[in-house]
Structure formats: C-alpha cells, structure tokens
Amino acid sequence: MVEFAVLEDVDLTDYRMLRASGVHGTLGLININADVFLCVISGAVRVATVRPDETVQRILSVDFCEPPFSNSIPGETQSLSLRVSDCLNRDDFDYELHQEIDPYYIDHGQPSRHEHTHGIDPQDAPLEHPCSDLKKILSGGTFYYSLTFDLTNRLQDRLSDKSAFDIDNLDEGFLWNSYMIDPLIKFRSRLAANEKELLDSSRILTSAIRGFVSTITVPSSSSPISGVKTNLPSTLTLISRLSCRRAGTRFNSRGIDDDGNVANFVETETIFYHPSSLCFSYAQIRGSVPIFWEQATGLLPGQQKIQITRSPEATQPAFDKHFESLDADYGTIHILNLLSESKPGEAELTARYNYHVLHSLLNQTVVVGGTSENRLTESQFDFHAETRGPGGYEAASMVRRLIQDRADGFAYFLCQNMNSSVHRSLYDEKAAQVGGAVILQQEGIFRTNCLDCLDRTNLIQTIISQMALEHFLHHRNEHASNDFWNPRFNEYSTPDTVQIWVGTFNLNGRGGGVKEDLAAWLWPDINRLQQRPDIVAVGFQEIVELSPQQIMSTDPVRRQAWESAVRRTLNDSARKHSDEEYILLRSGQLVGAALMIFVKAGILHKIKDVEGSVKKTGMSGMAGNKGAVAIRMDYTNTRICFVTAHLAAGFANYEERNRDYRTISNGLRFQRNRSIEDHDAIIWLGDFNYRIGLNDDKARQLIKAGDLDTLYQNDQLNLQMVAGHTFPFYSESRITFMPTYKYNNGTDDYDTSEKARIPAWCDRILRKGEILKQINYTTAPLRFSDHRPVYATFQCAVSAVDEFRKESLSRDIYAKRRSEVGDTTANARNDDFDDEDIVGYDSIAPELPPASSDRRKWWLDNGLPARSNLKVPDERSVLNVNRPQNPFTPTNEPDWKAIEKTAGGSHALKYDKIEDRNSHRFSPTPHGSQPWPLDANHHSLREEVAPRGPNWRRSSQSSVALMSSNVAHKAAPPIPKKPTLLNSRQHSQESRNHEQENPTSSRPPSGGQTTFGGGTKTSFSSPPLYGQQATESDGPPLPPRSVGAIVSVSNGLLDDDNEGASAIPSLQPIRRQR
C-alpha cells in the first residue's frame, strides 16, 4: 500500500531515514521471490549540462532497500512523506544495504557473495542479497539520469511545458528502468493535479538511460558563433541512448526480432548551445543489420561464421515493422551500409539487406506536395576498401560526397529562446514553443551500420555530425576554427594569413593579347596587401580558336606564351614596388583552357604536394573544347584547390552546364583519389556561360539604367545555385560590375552583330571554405577580346603546424592511453573484424591497482610473470587441499592444516573425505614421497601416516613450495618411479650407491612394513612403478617407459638439493646399448 500525504500530518515515529547521506533518486520497485525492494541511487556525479538548468548525472552506485522509509533529498524542502508498507516486508538484508561493489570481482560461474562479506566471518555472514547482480549492472557507470528534463527523448521531441516523468512522454525504448518505475508511475497517475506537481517537485521519480553522456565547454574565443558576442562559454554535448528492447552481448544478440527491434540500436544526439539561447541539435541512429542472422563465437578473430536464419519471405514483415517505426519517429530514413562487398559473410548480409530495402513499401516513390520522394533510401560505402589505401582512415571523408544531398534535405533542429535579450529579433519565423522558438526541424535521419556497429560506425557518425554542424554554421555565415574541432590544435600550430589574387579571362582565341599591357588586370590599383599577393592564380579560356582540329588535342605553345606574358607583368610591377619576384609553380592546359599558379619566391618552402588534373566534358567527355583544369597544393597544413572551367554554351543550356559542373566536381581526381571537395579552400574561376534570362532589349535597358539587382535576380547561375542544382555551398560576392559578355572587340559596346547576343555575366569566380575571406570582385578594362577579364582577391587563414610539437603531444596522448589499456595489440588486419574499443580502467583508490579486464591483468603488469608470495605459517603446516579452488567461495575450511604429533613422536596429517572423485588431483604427503591420487581407493590407506626420515624437514618444505605454486591450478602429475626394465649392472650399481648415501630411505618397499624413526609401523601398498601395469584398485594403467631411462629420486621431490635435473629422464643422454 502506498500513501501520499502532507508531511506534517504523518506520525514519523515508525519511520527511519533511508540513508544518512541522502538519496539522489528512485529507480523503482522490484519484486523477487515475493520480496519487494526499492532501488535508490546512492552515488552519482554530474557529467553534462545540456542547457541552463538541464543537467545529467551518471549513476555510480545504487542500493536496494526493504524497510519502510521517509524520503530525504538534500537541498529540498520536505513537505511530503511517501510511506510504503505491507510490501517491503523483510529486513533480513539490512546488512547488504550499504555494501560496495568489489571492482576486482571475477565470475567463475559459481554463486559468489564476496562483494558483501569483507571483514565478516563466513559463519556469521548473512544471506546473499538477491539484487546483488542487478546492483553490479546498475553501478557499472553506463547509466545516466536527469532530474530536470526528459533524458529519454531528443531535444526536438520533448516539450518544455510537460512533466519530465509523464508516462505518455517518456520513450520506453530507451527507458531502462521502465519495469521498475512502472508501479510508481501508475501511482502518480491516480493523484490529483496539484499532488502530481508536489510529487514531481520532490524529484524522487527518476528515468534512467544507458549509453554515454558528456559535455565539453567551448571558450568564447573558440566559439563558432562570432556574430553574437556574450563573453560566455558555449557547450557541446553528446548523448547516446542504447535501446533496451534487444540488448545483449556481441555474439548473443544479432540482427532483428519479430517485433522489429534490432540489436545494438543507439540514438546519438549532438547538441550545441550558445549563451544567446541559440540551441542546435542533430540526431542519428545506428543498429544491427535488420534481418534474422547469427554469428557463432570462435577463438580466432574474424573466424566467426555469419549465418542467415530465415528466408526472405519470413524476414520481410519484421523488416517492415522496424523501418515503419523509424519513419514514424524520425521521418525519412537513409541507410548507410558500411559492410564489406568482398567478404563472404558481409557480402551475403548486404545482398539480403538490399533485397528487403527494394521490397519495402517505404522505398516506393510517392508524390508529396507536387514532388516525388522515397521514405527509405540507401547508400553502400565499403569502409575497409575505401580506407585501405595510403590515405588511411582520412579517406573515410569521401562519404561526404555520397550523402551530401541527403544531409542537406534532412536539415537539423534549431531553436532559440525568444525572451532572451540577446538577438531577440534575430529570427522572425512563426514557430511553436519547444524550450523556445523552433526555427528549424530535422526531417530525416541517417541509419548507419557495420557488422558490430562499433569502430566503423563511430568514425562515419563523427563525420556526419561534423557535416550537420558545418551546415548550420554555413546558414549563419559563420565558420568554426581549428581549435573548435580540435581543442589542442593551438598547442602545436601558428596562425597565418595568405593573400591570394585570382583572375579569369576568355581570350576568344586572340593571340595578340600577349603583347598588351596586363597590369590593369594583374596588378590593379587596390589595397597594398591585395595588390601584392602571395599566390596568383590565372585562368584562361579559348587561348586557341576552338576549331574541329584543335578540340581533340592540346597545343602548349600559346599557353607558354601567356605564361611568359603574365610572369613578365608580375615581376615588372614587383620591381617597381621593390617587392619579391614571382615564379611559376605549376600550369595545366585542356585545349583552350589553361590554369597557371605563380607564387612569391619567399613562400616556396611552405608549399608542397602540388598536383594538377583535367576533366573533359565536351561531346560527352570525349572532346576538350569544354571542361576544367585544376591545380591543388598544401600551403603549410592547409589544402587549397583552384579550378578553371569552361562550361557548355547556349542561352537555354543551363541544365547541361549543371551537368558539366557535377561531372567535373565528381570526376576530377588528383593522386590518392583526392577530389576537389577534399580541400579546405576551393576557388572556381572561368567562363561558366550562365546567361541572364531576359530578352535583349530588356537586358540592355537595365544595363543602361544601372539596375544590376534586377539583372542579377534573373541570372541563371544565381537561380540555379539558390535551387541547389549547381555549386552547392559555394558563395559569390555581390556583383558590382556590368555583364562581361558579349562586347564588340576593341570597344565597350555590347554585341551589335546579327546574332545580337544578350549581355551576361559569363565570367565568374566562386569560393568555398570557411577560411576564405573575399576582399575584391570586379573587372579590368582590357578590350582585345569579346569578354572582359574578372579578378578577385582573398585572404586565406592558414595554420603552420609545428610537427615536432605535434609529434611530442601525440606521444604524450599515446602514452596516457597505453597506460589505460596496457600492452594490448590492435588487429593488424583492420578489415578482418570489428571489435569493441578497449576502455580504460582507473583505480578506485590510490593504493589499489587499476581494475582488470579480459585483456589486462593487474598482477601481470609490465610483462612480469605471476609470482606467489605465499608463506607457510610454521613448519608444522601444509596447504589444505579440501579448501575450494575459488578463494571467494564461502567455506569453513582453513587455508592451512597442521601436522599433528602422534604417539611415536612423528607427525601425521589427517584429511577429511575427498568430495571430488572425478578429478585427478593429488594429495600432498608430509614426508615428500609419492603423492596419493585423490580419487584412489582410500580404503587401502590408513587415515594417519607418520613418516619421518632424515630429510623430512627439507622434503616438507619442498612439498609446501610445490603446492603453493599450484594453487587454483591442476596438481602436478605423480613423480615417476624407477622402471624395472633397466640394465641390471647399471641398476645394481646405482642401487648400492643410493643405499650407502641414504641408509634410511624415505621410500618404503612395495607391500612391506617400514619403521620411520622408531615410530609406529604402517602398512600400505605403494603405487606401481612407472612402466608397470597397475592393479584395478590403482586406477588406469600408465604408459610404458622406453628402456634405458634412469630415474633416481631420493626423496620423492625434485628440489635443488636433490639435483632434480639429473632425475628427469628427458634431460639425460640415452646410451646406445651394445
């Protein structure tokens, strides 16, 4: 029975405090064997602050309580009491309440209570707590909770005006304590509205997720939001929620179940919060391949066989359930499959995956709002094949091109508190209230998978999150600096600024221009910094007439002439201004298109990896009259790419020009398969041939009136870029100059020929890259062509990396990581299998070693062999073989057994009945002779044996040493006896020598009576000699030993005093018998 009453109205006489140190929250109730336990959070630490007043705590420890209690939460005003009676009915486990989990616990497959019995005599120890295993799981550090907001839902789905504990709002797929908290939630649902508010304000009900949560603080100096100055830090939070609906270990939980739940399903949310109340959120998911499949465990990595267990027809219903659920929760789904296309197992999974996607109803094209769309699409990215080259894992960034269009369509979630005094009117869109005004919502999601959804998926999801953040910043005309992506980047880099001049000119095949003065174009009258650039990129089109003979070949003569003309102009101007000379770095040509890169001589040592490439687009890629020339370089550690292009001509051919752009962007490749997009700064220049969509008269009237805005609104390139059909994410500065095409040669008059070409901005310069800042964009008055030359100047922020400092920092990070994971060797063949990352295990106290894992043992650190420091309490004690091998198993058996004195003055060791008759362990004898098999017929043995010879002390110590080195292991095999089939003369001689040296032998003759030190006579049957056949009572027969081997064991043990090496047959030469 549960009561909810005003605290002042309750008699607390029969109540007691739950914990003296307070309780952080309640995970719920659990019923075990008719006993009801209340689970409370007894230890927690804050790990994240998502937004102001939204904190997340990691659970460090929990307790299970049974007596009636009065809730006490530190820092809260107590006005209510929650009484639970008649259900929490026992106090037998009070002792267990505050016991801590032993971090060195190793499960040996037997019930163990060691984590609750430290310092307690085994006879007085209470019953094992039935919730001990559950306590270990919940205290493992992978569970998180929040008392201030709903942690089970992403930011886009949770409503600020709803309770964080409303059962209708919590996502049970990520609520790991849903079963335990359900009775309390139902109790809450029966309360009045004001009582619900009072119960919620007590913060006793707690929703827990499993996964990972962490927040890093971004200093204001590193914040990518520079347009709003607050001088306060921003936060970047990562929340990963593991589904509880198909949880399990790697090989025990694979694929999908009949309800559509998949193994290792995780929702990962990236949240960036700026002090101006601007909040960005982006979610993505991962999960096992959603078909019925299994993978058997194996000893060798990568040898676990994959088996598909159901037919396609039997799998499709569960497959459809899974994706219909995702569609309802997230919207459009894009599958990113990272499995190998060459490995047999993974290739089979991929083929079946593709089959089910093809037959899914969500994959059918539907018309929504006049546009057709698929709710389920997929991309294949063979991760190992793409990253196997010299580029390594950096080549994984090529996935950007594969998913760029989908990423743009999915967008992201963005909201801002409109009551904030900072930029209150920054956005004017009407929006609903979800912790502020919703500016944008995420409308789709990426579902990424590999085999285990671990390492490969981690890297790709990192790239996707970065793409979403870059997309968000691009929309705000912001960019993130290197120290935002890499907080330690500034520790080994120095910022610098490079001045770049870029120009493009369509020469119309006029070769006489090489004699013209190009200074007005190449050295314009502008700011001194931009006038003397560090890098000069010059692009030409139609340096030769594009005749049928020319378009199929490239003549370098004209290009070389223009190279000389440009270099001469630059250096003449540089000498006039006492500046450095320019040298030609590299040039390239495709028929009439040419690109030349000049740099100052003083910066040449900072440039490396200069490469060039061309791409034809004319006549479906066969002819070079249209196409592009590209040159890339690394300036210190910044990647810069220049592309000059000549696209398809014709007023109405804008779609063909769009195709030319895509062909060049996707098809042009440098070494190591690098593309244009794989650079930090990209500049396109050339004759793109986009026209103005007006008739000739209207266009000329607007030009005469100087109405450039109306002209630009009808510019084809502008319209196509806005529609996202070409040059996505590229920018162009505002055009302030007249159209550059088409002029009458030698004049400023537009075309007056019969064709009457409509004036247009054919010659353009576009940029992409957050490190680029454009300063100028205009034309030059050169009139020997029907085009006007265009130029632009840029400032490029580069970073000079101190490689020595970077390497030193890398070694420090590696050393720290290695200290956490030990000497574990990574898989040399990275494409063999996916395994879990090795996590670090920290010590819970300075005086204790770090916790151990399957791959690291603290007692074997630094490669040292295991050594025992076990010491015998006294000379009259030996190890007790009746004690269980598991040192933590409860037992009344002591560690040592004392050797009791007999009436004859010797010592006797009494052993109890041996319980385990199936094992072939051997019992030690106090005199050091042949050990007795524990499973032998003990009726033939006397219970008390009192042997004592002259070497008893030495033999006893050797016996103890032998046993101590075999603790928790199988005992050593019996010491072999002398073979009977020996050379008679050699045997007799050794026997006489042995008897002279040891007149009182400690080994009794077979079947006789022997007196030990004048004590009691003892009769027993010794084991058969090695090589002889044993009787039925002696166990199975031993294998025969070859003739000629000699064994001499004086005391029955191989100790140092016995020269044990000489007693081992395998170490002695066998003399050839004559």
Side-chain angles (χ1 to χ4, degrees):
M1 176 179 136
V2 179
E3 283 184 277
F4 191 66
V6 178
L7 183 62
E8 289 78 6
D9 298 340
V10 179
D11 183 9
L12 301 179
T13 305
D14 296 332
Y15 287 72
R16 72 174 178 84
M17 293 292 290
L18 187 63
R19 283 178 60 92
S21 58
V23 172
H24 298 273
T26 304
L27 294 180
L29 303 170
I30 186 168
N31 190 327
I32 301 178
N33 298 328
D35 295 325
V36 179
F37 298 91
L38 179 70
C39 181
V40 297
I41 302 173
S42 55
V45 62
R46 178 184 296 184
V47 294
T49 301
V50 181
R51 296 189 295 177
D53 301 325
E54 291 185 352
T55 60
V56 181
Q57 286 76 29
R58 181 171 68 231
I59 298 175
L60 300 180
S61 61
V62 299
D63 280 327
F64 288 85
C65 315
E66 51 283 336
F69 71 95
S70 173
N71 179 47
S72 175
I73 299 180
E76 296 295 325
T77 303
Q78 296 300 306
S79 58
L80 301 168
S81 173
L82 182 65
R83 179 174 180 177
V84 185
S85 60
D86 300 331
C87 292
L88 306 176
N89 51 354
R90 298 178 59 181
D91 58 1
D92 297 352
F93 305 105
D94 282 356
Y95 167 76
E96 305 292 330
L97 183 61
H98 303 299
Q99 296 301 311
E100 299 298 332
I101 296 297
D102 188 343
Y104 300 105
Y105 169 71
I106 301 176
D107 187 3
H108 292 284
Q110 300 177 358
S112 175
R113 302 176 50 259
H114 69 279
E115 65 269 28
H116 304 295
T117 58
H118 298 302
I120 304 298
D121 189 284
Q123 296 181 353
D124 300 330
L127 297 174
E128 180 182 7
H129 199 292
C131 302
S132 59
D133 290 335
L134 185 56
K135 178 178 179 179
K136 287 199 290 280
I137 295 175
L138 295 175
S139 303
T142 60
F143 289 88
Y144 300 81
Y145 73 95
S146 175
L147 298 175
T148 56
F149 73 100
D150 176 14
L151 190 55
T152 66
N153 279 297
R154 56 178 177 160
L155 183 61
Q156 179 168 323
D157 294 336
R158 52 187 169 91
L159 305 178
S160 60
D161 57 345
K162 297 290 184 181
S163 168
F165 310 105
D166 190 342
I167 192 62
D168 296 328
N169 193 36
L170 295 177
D171 190 336
E172 293 190 4
F174 300 116
L175 183 64
W176 276 74
N177 62 323
S178 59
Y179 176 80
M180 296 169 62
I181 204 174
D182 185 61
L184 298 180
I185 293 292
K186 289 180 179 178
F187 163 74
R188 177 187 175 277
S189 66
R190 295 189 290 269
L191 298 177
N194 63 326
E195 292 178 328
K196 288 182 180 179
E197 294 180 2
L198 292 173
L199 179 60
D200 293 345
S201 64
S202 71
R203 299 183 178 182
I204 190 174
L205 300 180
T206 308
S207 57
I209 69 167
R210 192 175 195 183
F212 177 81
V213 183
S214 181
T215 291
I216 61 172
T217 301
V218 181
S220 58
S221 59
S222 301
S223 175
I225 306 297
S226 58
V228 183
K229 298 295 183 181
T230 62
N231 294 326
L232 296 174
S234 305
T235 58
L236 185 63
T237 303
L238 182 68
I239 303 176
S240 288
R241 305 174 180 92
L242 175 65
S243 174
C244 59
R245 286 181 172 160
R246 186 165 170 76
T249 55
R250 290 180 61 210
F251 296 108
N252 293 326
S253 182
R254 293 290 204 190
I256 197 171
D257 63 16
D258 290 294
D259 295 324
N261 303 311
V262 297
N264 204 7
F265 183 81
V266 180
E267 177 189 86
T268 300
E269 183 179 14
T270 304
I271 302 174
F272 176 77
Y273 178 81
H274 189 263
S276 64
S277 298
L278 188 66
C279 191
F280 160 92
S281 169
Y282 187 80
Q284 52 185 318
I285 56 177
R286 69 174 73 186
S288 184
V289 177
I291 63 176
F292 292 95
W293 63 283
E294 298 173 354
Q295 189 175 19
T297 58
L299 296 177
L300 298 178
Q303 301 301 317
Q304 298 85 2
K305 185 178 180 181
I306 295 173
Q307 180 182 6
I308 297 177
T309 58
R310 289 200 194 179
S311 66
E313 296 78 10
T315 302
Q316 194 68 43
F319 184 92
D320 291 339
K321 283 183 183 179
H322 175 69
F323 281 101
E324 286 170 2
S325 175
L326 296 184
D327 179 63
D329 292 338
Y330 303 104
T332 304
I333 308 127
H334 186 84
I335 298 169
L336 189 55
N337 183 17
L338 308 180
L339 292 177
S340 171
E341 296 179 341
S342 58
K343 293 184 181 179
E346 295 190 12
E348 185 180 1
L349 285 178
T350 297
R352 179 64 71 84
Y353 202 171
N354 295 337
Y355 170 87
H356 290 296
V357 171
L358 183 64
H359 290 78
S360 173
L361 294 177
L362 294 176
N363 192 35
Q364 308 303 318
T365 302
V366 296
V367 179
V368 179
T371 60
S372 60
E373 66 174 13
N374 285 359
R375 304 292 292 172
L376 178 63
T377 56
E378 66 173 339
S379 296
Q380 175 70 28
F381 185 78
D382 188 339
F383 182 90
H384 288 319
E386 297 291 345
T387 59
R388 188 174 290 119
Y393 289 132
E394 292 185 1
S397 61
M398 291 188 294
V399 76
R400 288 172 171 262
R401 299 194 303 272
L402 197 63
I403 62 175
Q404 183 69 66
D405 293 341
R406 273 297 179 179
D408 300 343
F410 290 165
Y412 47 84
F413 177 76
L414 187 65
C415 67
Q416 186 173 32
N417 185 359
M418 302 307 289
N419 296 323
S420 173
S421 60
V422 182
H423 273 246
R424 181 173 299 174
S425 60
L426 184 61
Y427 300 96
D428 298 328
E429 290 88 344
K430 295 180 180 179
Q433 293 291 325
V434 182
V438 174
I439 301 167
L440 191 63
Q441 286 197 338
Q442 185 176 344
E443 298 180 350
I445 200 160
F446 285 102
R447 186 196 189 279
T448 309
N449 73 270
C450 52
L451 192 64
D452 293 323
C453 299
L454 295 172
D455 296 338
R456 286 180 276 187
T457 304
N458 287 342
L459 181 54
I460 297 301
Q461 286 201 333
T462 300
I463 294 173
I464 294 175
S465 291
Q466 184 173 350
M467 289 175 63
L469 268 170
E470 290 172 349
H471 193 186
F472 155 63
L473 296 174
H474 175 77
H475 287 170
R476 291 181 51 87
N477 292 323
E478 305 271 8
H479 73 277
S481 58
N482 285 324
D483 57 344
F484 174 76
W485 301 116
N486 182 0
R488 308 192 68 172
F489 181 77
N490 289 334
E491 296 184 29
Y492 56 85
S493 65
T494 303
D496 194 5
T497 301
V498 178
Q499 305 295 330
I500 301 176
W501 184 98
V502 176
T504 179
F505 196 181
N506 187 316
L507 299 173
N508 193 26
R510 304 294 179 178
V514 294
K515 300 178 181 179
E516 297 284 339
D517 184 7
L518 305 178
W521 178 45
L522 298 175
W523 201 275
D525 187 14
I526 55 177
N527 183 275
R528 183 178 180 275
L529 284 176
Q530 284 77 50
Q531 190 185 50
R532 305 174 184 182
D534 300 301
I535 300 175
V536 175
V538 182
F540 290 113
Q541 302 82 43
E542 298 186 28
I543 58 174
V544 296
E545 293 183 5
L546 299 180
S547 62
Q549 294 80 10
Q550 292 280 5
I551 64 174
M552 301 305 293
S553 62
T554 298
D555 183 4
V557 176
R558 285 285 183 92
R559 172 178 56 82
Q560 293 168 357
W562 281 105
E563 288 175 1
S564 300
V566 172
R567 181 169 58 245
R568 181 176 62 250
T569 302
L570 290 174
N571 288 330
D572 288 347
S573 300
R575 282 192 292 269
K576 291 179 182 179
H577 296 85
S578 301
D579 206 350
E580 291 184 73
E581 70 169 350
Y582 289 87
I583 61 174
L584 177 64
L585 182 66
R586 178 161 181 158
S587 64
Q589 182 181 356
L590 176 64
V591 186
L595 179 61
M596 310 164 190
I597 306 295
F598 296 86
V599 299
K600 287 183 175 180
I603 67 168
L604 192 60
H605 67 282
K606 299 180 181 179
I607 299 174
K608 60 182 179 180
D609 294 338
V610 181
E611 301 172 15
S613 183
V614 298
K615 184 66 179 179
K616 298 177 182 180
T617 60
M619 298 177 61
S620 300
M622 297 179 61
N625 60 317
K626 296 295 186 288
V629 181
I631 296 176
R632 57 95 51 210
M633 68 180 73
D634 288 347
Y635 187 96
T636 60
N637 294 88
T638 303
R639 300 166 298 177
I640 304 174
C641 182
F642 300 96
V643 184
T644 186
H646 196 187
L647 306 184
F651 179 86
N653 293 336
Y654 58 88
E655 290 185 353
E656 186 176 351
R657 290 187 275 275
N658 294 346
R659 286 194 297 270
D660 286 350
Y661 160 75
R662 290 192 293 270
T663 299
I664 297 169
S665 179
N666 297 329
L668 189 146
R669 286 289 187 272
F670 301 101
Q671 294 180 14
R672 300 182 182 178
N673 202 32
R674 284 184 289 205
S675 70
I676 295 173
E677 298 299 318
D678 295 331
H679 292 81
D680 303 310
I682 309 169
I683 299 177
W684 282 67
L685 56 147
D687 181 2
F688 300 157
N689 262 322
Y690 285 93
R691 310 302 171 91
I692 295 175
L694 298 172
N695 59 50
D696 185 55
D697 292 338
K698 181 64 174 178
R700 292 175 187 258
Q701 289 176 7
L702 293 173
I703 291 172
K704 188 175 182 180
D707 190 357
L708 300 183
D709 290 341
T710 304
L711 287 171
Y712 188 70
Q713 291 173 7
N714 292 275
D715 176 69
Q716 290 179 349
L717 178 58
N718 174 43
L719 295 174
Q720 294 300 304
M721 289 178 66
V722 170
H725 296 156
T726 189
F727 290 100
F729 298 103
Y730 280 85
S731 301
E732 182 181 26
S733 289
R734 182 181 179 183
I735 295 180
T736 60
F737 49 89
M738 293 298 176
T740 59
Y741 174 84
K742 173 181 182 177
Y743 290 91
N744 295 325
N745 289 336
T747 71
D748 291 328
D749 299 327
Y750 287 102
D751 187 17
T752 57
S753 66
E754 293 181 0
K755 294 184 178 180
R757 306 287 188 183
I758 301 173
W761 285 297
C762 291
D763 308 282
R764 311 289 273 268
I765 299 175
L766 306 179
R767 72 182 186 276
K768 182 179 181 181
E770 299 169 346
I771 61 176
L772 287 174
K773 180 181 179 181
Q774 190 162 347
I775 308 299
N776 301 103
Y777 190 31
T778 187
T779 61
L782 299 181
R783 298 177 178 86
F784 57 84
S785 173
D786 59 354
H787 289 255
R788 290 291 180 266
V790 177
Y791 70 88
T793 61
F794 300 90
Q795 289 180 348
C796 182
V798 300
S799 297
V801 174
D802 184 343
E803 295 295 342
F804 178 79
R805 174 60 183 154
K806 180 181 179 181
E807 181 64 23
S808 176
L809 185 62
S810 176
R811 286 196 299 267
D812 293 343
I813 295 174
Y814 174 79
K816 180 180 179 182
R817 182 63 176 166
R818 182 170 182 175
S819 67
E820 295 175 353
V821 303
D823 295 329
T824 303
T825 302
N827 179 28
R829 297 177 60 190
N830 59 0
D831 59 339
D832 278 352
F833 72 109
D834 251 358
D835 204 352
E836 298 186 39
D837 287 335
I838 304 168
V839 297
Y841 293 81
D842 296 328
S843 173
I844 61 173
E847 66 275 7
L848 295 177
S852 300
S853 67
D854 291 340
R855 304 184 181 190
R856 176 187 177 185
K857 305 293 187 290
W858 58 264
W859 57 87
L860 299 178
D861 277 349
N862 302 320
L864 297 177
R867 294 183 180 179
S868 172
N869 56 0
L870 190 65
K871 296 182 179 179
V872 183
D874 53 63
E875 295 181 354
R876 301 176 56 186
S877 298
V878 295
L879 285 174
N880 182 7
V881 296
N882 290 335
R883 182 175 175 82
Q885 290 187 0
N886 184 353
F888 303 110
T889 301
T891 179
N892 294 327
E893 290 286 345
D895 292 334
W896 302 91
K897 279 280 190 176
I899 301 176
E900 301 175 356
K901 285 189 176 182
T902 63
S906 61
H907 295 76
L909 178 60
K910 183 176 180 180
Y911 287 104
D912 295 331
K913 180 181 179 181
I914 303 299
E915 297 180 0
D916 187 4
R917 292 186 176 273
N918 296 323
S919 64
H920 292 278
R921 291 169 18 188
F922 291 84
S923 170
T925 59
H927 62 288
S929 63
Q930 169 67 39
W932 301 323
L934 296 183
D935 51 355
N937 185 357
H938 288 272
H939 295 290
S940 62
L941 306 177
R942 297 257 329 245
E943 287 188 349
E944 293 185 0
V945 181
R948 181 161 184 166
N951 294 326
W952 172 85
R953 183 185 304 274
R954 183 173 57 200
S955 300
S956 175
Q957 292 174 351
S958 298
S959 176
V960 172
L962 179 63
M963 288 302 300
S964 62
S965 64
N966 287 284
V967 174
H969 298 283
K970 291 184 178 180
I975 301 301
K977 295 300 177 180
K978 295 181 181 178
T980 56
L981 302 177
L982 295 175
N983 181 282
S984 58
R985 182 177 55 187
Q986 186 178 11
H987 182 214
S988 301
Q989 181 63 34
E990 289 212 2
S991 298
R992 287 192 297 270
N993 296 340
H994 180 64
E995 291 173 359
Q996 292 174 2
E997 294 175 2
N998 300 281
T1000 307
S1001 176
S1002 62
R1003 188 184 71 248
S1006 175
Q1009 292 187 359
T1010 306
T1011 300
F1012 297 92
T1016 305
K1017 294 182 179 180
T1018 304
S1019 175
F1020 64 96
S1021 299
S1022 87
L1025 295 178
Y1026 195 88
Q1028 293 180 338
Q1029 296 296 319
T1031 62
E1032 290 185 3
S1033 62
D1034 291 328
L1038 294 173
R1041 186 70 178 181
S1042 60
V1043 179
I1046 301 175
V1047 179
S1048 175
V1049 183
S1050 60
N1051 292 319
L1053 287 175
L1054 301 179
D1055 54 24
D1056 292 338
D1057 296 335
N1058 265 341
E1059 297 180 354
S1062 63
I1064 302 177
S1066 60
L1067 298 182
Q1068 296 301 311
I1070 300 177
R1071 297 185 179 181
R1072 192 173 296 173
Q1073 305 249 345
R1074 296 182 179 178

